[in-house]
Amino acid sequence: MSTEFDVIVIGAGPGGYIAAIRAAQLGMRVACVDAWCNAKGGPAPGGTCTNIGCIPSKALLQSSENYEQVRRHFGEHGVLVQTVAMDVGKMLARKTAIVQQNNEGILYLFKKNGVTFVHGLARFEGRDQDRYRIAVSGTEAILSSPQIVVATGSVARPLPGVAFDEKRVLSNDGALSIGEIPARLGVIGAGVVGLEMGSVWRRLGAEVSMLEALPAFLPGADEQIAREAFKLMTRQGLKIQLGVGVEGVDLVGDVVKVRYLDSAKGAQTLECDKLIVSVGRLPNTEGLNGEAIGLKLDARGFVEVDSDCRTHLPGVWAIGDVVRGPMLAHKAEEEGVAVAESIAGQHGHVDLDTIPWVIYTSPEIAWVGQSEQQLKQTGRPYRAGRFPFAANGRARAMGDTNGMVKCLADAKTDRVLGVHIVGPMASELISEAVLAMAFQASSEDIARVCHAHPSLSEATREAALAVDGRALNI
Ligand code: FAD
């Protein structure tokens, strides 16, 4: 194996593997080093996203949603099912197979694009003039390159004093592998991961109680959308308590006891069989030995970068969860492409203002741009248009009429400033809004584009029409 490369990417999550492929497409000799191991100790590129994040969580969300549909909604269509049972083992095996397909897909893409993949933990050894030296665990070779992309991702944040044992106190990793449906599931943290995992196990029959420290539900989302989502999710059976302070977790026999302070009721205890702790993620630079080259971290442990993902060291870049900005796979990918193109002398750029957010609950929640409360805070004059899925023909035909689309546009120029959706397929619908914002479209631009009928996307058009008070179907 050659040890000298034009670019070495550390980490093969969505940030790293995409950076490696794009750099190879641009004619560079690229190595990508990744430490993740599958159950047999073999390589499992794809990072958090593929192995314990986006992909397996969506597999379980789909399986559990299918189960819920059969149990609760098929009857409305006249589809009568006598016995319904859930084979959790099969569901987990399906999830594992999907993860493996993705791991293998990435290895195939590396081969196809001529990227050298090295399995092991990369560690900075130092620098010789303009080349950085990197050792990889399990190999003798020292790799070197003048261009390094750090894409080492993030790890689950534990609750102080409460270690993950992945049997009863679970990180997002353990939450994806619970072998049987727990009767009582506790979740600390009602953010994206907590809501998605809580939804999976609630649909399968667990009684799910969520404890959230913040007083507001989904404070990053538009308030109206968050209120609607809270109403729908609690109606489905998720118990969500806001503004509580968790004081400690005790393991007593088979029971997990969470001590917490409720501002209204005082000291409380939640008893559950399993506890998922989803209180955020921390940037991961463990084992990287950044000190050997003087890599700077900020106070929170993120690698310090400028708006183009450059660190202060010449030729060293960092992308994805290990740097500032939303911890999202598609943000990491965008940065991967931009950095590869910048290294090739092109103008790589990521617009953090048009990164979409999605929560894959049912209904899904998705948004891009600014919320109504953010616009109010900045004093920017805006007009809002809303359209409920209850008035959309496709949503009625699907039997999925909860939620709405909301479009926010500048009061003077009509430029779209934000689009917020709670409802069916919000994850797919949001792309139109992202495209519109990337092209600096006005709400009238969206409103004047012909949308297929009947389709959920007509709700987006109607919300855009509603900005000017001329929605047609309500
Ligand atoms: P990672 O995916 O974390 O990959 C980093 C890789 O680097 C890992 O393979 C790691 O082993 C490797 N590595 C670290 N250090 C070294 C080293 N020294 N040497 C070699 N290799 C190293 N985001 C979305 O956009 N949509 C979703 O639906 C979504 N769902 C999620 C669900 C869950 C349960 C979780 C936990 C996260 C979810 N995310 C989702 C977030 C998403 O997974 C991350 O934002 C994304 O994986 C970040 O990509 P990355 O490339 O920066 O890092």
Side-chain angles (χ1 to χ4, degrees), residues 241 258-262 264-270:
Q241 290 188 69
V258 184
R259 285 175 280 113
Y260 67 95
L261 204 60
D262 181 305
K265 297 183 201 148
Q268 302 285 311
T269 305
L270 170 73

Side-chain angles (χ1 to χ4, degrees), residues 103-159:
N103 296 145
E104 282 156 22
I106 295 168
L107 289 172
Y108 161 78
L109 290 173
F110 280 158
K111 214 176 212 170
K112 181 182 158 203
N113 288 281
V115 173
T116 301
F117 175 70
V118 187
H119 187 213
L121 192 74
R123 180 187 156 84
F124 281 111
E125 287 289 303
R127 179 176 169 186
D128 296 327
Q129 281 144 13
D130 72 332
R131 300 189 78 84
Y132 296 91
R133 285 181 289 116
I134 291 173
V136 182
S137 63
T139 69
E140 298 284 298
I142 299 284
L143 313 183
S144 78
S145 174
Q147 301 287 341
I148 309 290
V149 183
V150 176
T152 48
S154 61
V155 289
R157 179 203 296 272
L159 209 61

Side-chain angles (χ1 to χ4, degrees), residues 11 14-15 34-35 47-49 53-54 58 120 122 152-153 172 320-321 327-330:
D34 189 86
T48 303
C49 165
C54 322
K58 266 80 254 178
T152 48
N172 52 277
D321 280 10
M327 284 184 162
L328 292 168
H330 42 278

Side-chain angles (χ1 to χ4, degrees), residues 209-418:
S209 306
M210 309 187 70
L211 302 176
E212 168 59 52
L214 296 173
F217 183 61
L218 294 177
D222 182 270
E223 268 170 17
Q224 186 182 17
I225 298 289
R227 260 198 315 276
E228 181 72 8
F230 186 81
K231 188 182 79 190
L232 294 169
M233 285 180 204
T234 47
R235 194 188 291 163
Q236 287 167 357
L238 279 183
K239 292 183 188 157
I240 308 171
Q241 290 188 69
L242 302 171
V244 302
V246 172
E247 305 209 304
V249 174
D250 305 311
L251 304 180
V252 185
D254 285 342
V255 180
V256 186
K257 295 189 177 185
V258 184
R259 285 175 280 113
Y260 67 95
L261 204 60
D262 181 305
S263 52
K265 297 183 201 148
Q268 302 285 311
T269 305
L270 170 73
E271 293 196 3
C272 52
D273 307 304
K274 303 265 182 201
L275 178 69
I276 298 175
V277 177
S278 52
V279 292
R281 297 184 60 81
L282 299 170
N284 172 36
T285 49
E286 205 181 319
L288 188 63
N289 196 30
E291 304 83 39
I293 57 164
L295 188 67
K296 265 197 207 157
L297 306 184
D298 70 15
R300 295 185 304 153
F302 289 96
V303 176
E304 260 184 25
V305 287
D306 66 12
S307 56
D308 294 327
C309 295
R310 281 190 179 82
T311 70
H312 67 111
L313 295 164
V316 181
W317 312 72
I319 60 172
D321 280 10
V322 80
V323 302
R324 85 286 173 267
M327 284 184 162
L328 292 168
H330 42 278
K331 176 262 194 183
E333 291 183 30
E334 289 301 295
E335 290 179 336
V337 169
V339 161
E341 293 181 350
S342 297
I343 292 173
Q346 299 183 0
H347 183 69
H349 175 66
V350 178
D351 180 4
L352 290 178
D353 292 336
T354 54
I355 302 280
W357 290 80
V358 180
I359 308 175
Y360 293 81
T361 43
S362 180
E364 293 182 345
I365 304 164
W367 71 91
V368 60
Q370 298 186 67
S371 62
E372 218 170 331
Q373 67 268 22
Q374 282 171 330
L375 292 173
K376 280 184 186 146
Q377 269 161 20
T378 55
R380 185 159 184 178
Y382 67 93
R383 294 191 298 169
R386 299 170 190 82
F387 191 81
F389 283 105
N392 174 272
R394 183 76 193 279
R396 283 190 195 142
M398 289 165 66
D400 205 349
T401 51
N402 285 320
M404 72 179 94
V405 181
K406 174 168 169 178
C407 181
L408 304 170
D410 187 278
K412 268 201 194 128
T413 64
D414 194 35
R415 182 172 164 180
V416 177
L417 302 174

